[in-house]
Amino acid sequence: MNATIVLGKKYHCKSEFETEFFAFSIASNIKPPYVLYLKGDLGVGKTYFARMICKYYDLPEVKSSSFAKVSSLQGKINLIHCDLYRKRPDINFYEEEVEPLLIDPWVLIIEWGVEGDWDFGCPEYVIQAEYLGMHERHFTILEH
């Protein structure tokens, strides 16, 4: 599963399968390490999208913010997932809690992310999700 990803283009996904295909396309087009900032309203599917990135890399599913602010999944890549819905990070958050987990090859996914002055030394992208209906979404990917 692979489709060319164009920055700034709005992708219309009409089903969970199309959202999975879009997530797989992103993961197959970007070589780790990279950072994805997932943005959008509550319930738009940010965690579902993160789960599809995990599925692409044959990793277990990430949990929602009710369970962990930062989780690390290890397999053929190291995937670090931050869900910052419940608490915005302080100035030391990335340096103290995230950077020690960035072991090559890695992917960092930040839900409710706040782009800061952190330099991860790799490509960073913002994926904006918009709710259109039951399983229908618009996704726009931008370079950070």
Side-chain angles (χ1 to χ4, degrees), residues 97-124:
E97 295 188 48
V98 175
E99 281 187 14
L101 301 173
L102 301 178
I103 300 164
D104 284 330
W106 58 265
V107 171
L108 173 59
I109 299 175
I110 305 172
E111 291 186 50
W112 301 98
V114 179
E115 300 96 352
D117 294 329
W118 304 279
D119 181 10
F120 292 105
C122 66
E124 297 180 37

Side-chain angles (χ1 to χ4, degrees), residues 65 69 83-90 93 97 111-112 114:
S65 64
K69 184 166 70 169
D83 192 327
L84 306 177
Y85 175 66
R86 298 204 183 274
K87 184 179 181 207
R88 294 288 177 225
D90 64 24
F93 173 75
E97 295 188 48
E111 291 186 50
W112 301 98
V114 179

Side-chain angles (χ1 to χ4, degrees), residues 36-51 61-72 79-90 93-94 97-98 101 108-114:
L36 296 179
Y37 295 94
L38 304 183
K39 299 206 168 194
D41 293 334
L42 186 65
V44 76
K46 293 178 294 299
T47 301
Y48 179 80
F49 191 89
R51 287 178 180 148
E61 289 187 353
V62 295
K63 304 294 184 210
S64 72
S65 64
S66 357
F67 301 103
K69 184 166 70 169
V70 178
S71 58
S72 177
L79 188 136
I80 299 87
H81 175 254
C82 301
D83 192 327
L84 306 177
Y85 175 66
R86 298 204 183 274
K87 184 179 181 207
R88 294 288 177 225
D90 64 24
F93 173 75
Y94 291 105
E97 295 188 48
V98 175
L101 301 173
L108 173 59
I109 299 175
I110 305 172
E111 291 186 50
W112 301 98
V114 179

Side-chain angles (χ1 to χ4, degrees), residues 3-50:
T4 302
I5 299 299
V6 178
L7 296 177
K9 179 180 175 186
K10 193 173 275 197
Y11 292 87
H12 186 168
C13 297
K14 298 180 214 167
S15 66
E16 288 181 340
F17 175 77
E18 288 184 9
T19 298
E20 178 179 345
F21 180 81
F22 179 64
F24 277 33
S25 294
I26 288 174
S28 67
N29 276 283
I30 306 172
K31 185 178 184 260
Y34 63 88
V35 179
L36 296 179
Y37 295 94
L38 304 183
K39 299 206 168 194
D41 293 334
L42 186 65
V44 76
K46 293 178 294 299
T47 301
Y48 179 80
F49 191 89

